[in-house]
Amino acid sequence: MARILAVDDSASMRQMVTFTLKGAGHEVFEASDGVEALKFASGQTDLDLVISDINMPNMDGIALIKELRGIPNFKFTPILMLTTESGVDKKSEGKAAGATGWIVKPFNSDLLLATIGKVL
């Protein structure tokens, strides 16, 4: 079982991700944007994975990755981007910021779980 933070400004997307992850036995925490996610993550020492959207208000996913990578506890924590963005430029930007992997929405539950299995 992994402790996973799911970050997305869409409540329905967070619900689908949470449902999929909890169904596989993971413990899931939710945040609606990068600011909320960073505030939550700052107090955590044992999150195993962060899954984040890119396009969100207040703080987007790329900025969130950069901020998380600056926190010692998150230097090596896998961070997956779950987004509608599929362009090479955005992927390069995400990778440069420190993203571990990229999943395009709408996501396939099996693919999401398989990807999580690879990075944990």
Side-chain angles (χ1 to χ4, degrees), residues 39-90:
K39 196 178 293 181
F40 176 80
S42 296
Q44 301 296 311
T45 56
D46 58 352
L47 280 176
D48 299 304
L49 173 69
V50 176
I51 300 174
S52 179
D53 187 14
I54 286 191
N55 300 311
M56 300 180 290
N58 304 317
M59 179 189 291
D60 69 14
I62 301 290
L64 173 62
I65 294 172
K66 290 177 182 172
E67 291 290 331
L68 287 173
R69 290 297 184 218
I71 300 171
N73 289 339
F74 289 91
K75 194 168 183 165
F76 302 109
T77 302
I79 302 174
L80 296 177
M81 303 312 301
L82 179 61
T83 179
T84 55
E85 298 280 351
S86 58
V88 175
D89 291 349
K90 274 291 183 196

Side-chain angles (χ1 to χ4, degrees), residues 5-9 14 29-34 36-38 40 56:
L5 175 59
V7 189
D8 200 305
D9 57 323
R14 284 194 315 273
F29 306 93
E30 297 181 15
S32 61
D33 63 32
E36 191 180 317
L38 190 60
F40 176 80
M56 300 180 290

Side-chain angles (χ1 to χ4, degrees), residues 62 65 81 89-102:
I62 301 290
I65 294 172
M81 303 312 301
D89 291 349
K90 274 291 183 196
K91 285 185 179 178
S92 295
E93 190 180 352
K95 189 167 185 166
T100 310
W102 200 276

